[in-house]
């Protein structure tokens, strides 16, 4: 199950959160190539964040997936999520960082 955790210091109301959840779910599913029914997105607004020495609007994300990640996919995901945050929360893409975790499935 691909899971995207987003944290931002920008307060996020329910309507904006819903828009981000919808857009990010569609983007992650499409780019990774998994059904939307497998994708989970969490949005945490109003989190104290200092990035590059300031508390200006910023965001941090962690995307965890069993497979489907790699350099080209990660780049596309990063720019797409940054665009969503720019559009919905006015966070400049230079103030967004995302960490990718490609989890290997352990088989017994």
């Amino acid at each position: 199950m691909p899971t995207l955790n987003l944290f931002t210091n920008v307060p996020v109301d329910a309507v904006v959160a819903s828009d981000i959840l919808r857009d990010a779910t569609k983007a992650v599913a499409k780019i990774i190539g998994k059904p939307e029914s497998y994708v989970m997105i969490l949005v945490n607004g109003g989190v104290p964040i200092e990035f590059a020495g300031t508390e200006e609007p910023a965001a941090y994300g962690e995307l965890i997936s069993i497979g489907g990640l790699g350099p080209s996919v990660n780049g596309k995901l990063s720019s797409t999520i940054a665009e969503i945050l720019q559009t919905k929360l006015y966070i400049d893409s230079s103030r967004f960082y995302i960490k990718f975790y490609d989890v290997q499935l352990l088989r017994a």
Side-chain angles (χ1 to χ4, degrees):
M1 174 185 292
T3 302
L4 174 62
N5 292 296
L6 292 171
F7 303 89
T8 179
N9 55 359
V10 177
V12 180
D13 68 32
V15 173
V16 172
S18 183
D19 287 347
I20 293 169
L21 294 171
R22 182 192 64 243
D23 293 352
T25 297
K26 289 182 183 311
V28 169
K30 180 179 178 183
I31 295 167
I32 292 180
K34 303 219 177 181
E36 285 185 34
S37 61
Y38 288 15
V39 176
M40 178 182 286
I41 310 291
L42 295 87
V43 176
N44 303 281
V47 176
I49 296 176
E50 181 174 315
F51 182 52
T54 75
E55 293 182 35
E56 292 177 29
Y60 170 73
E62 295 179 337
L63 194 137
I64 303 152
S65 182
I66 298 172
L69 299 178
S72 64
V73 168
N74 296 1
K76 191 167 186 176
L77 280 165
S78 186
S79 64
T80 302
I81 300 302
E83 185 178 313
I84 292 168
L85 295 174
Q86 169 70 44
T87 302
K88 304 297 182 190
L89 298 176
Y90 308 103
I91 297 172
D92 189 88
S93 63
S94 67
R95 298 202 39 89
F96 170 62
Y97 178 81
I98 186 167
K99 189 171 186 178
F100 296 94
Y101 296 97
D102 192 352
V103 180
Q104 300 303 313
L105 192 59
L106 298 176
R107 298 185 190 259

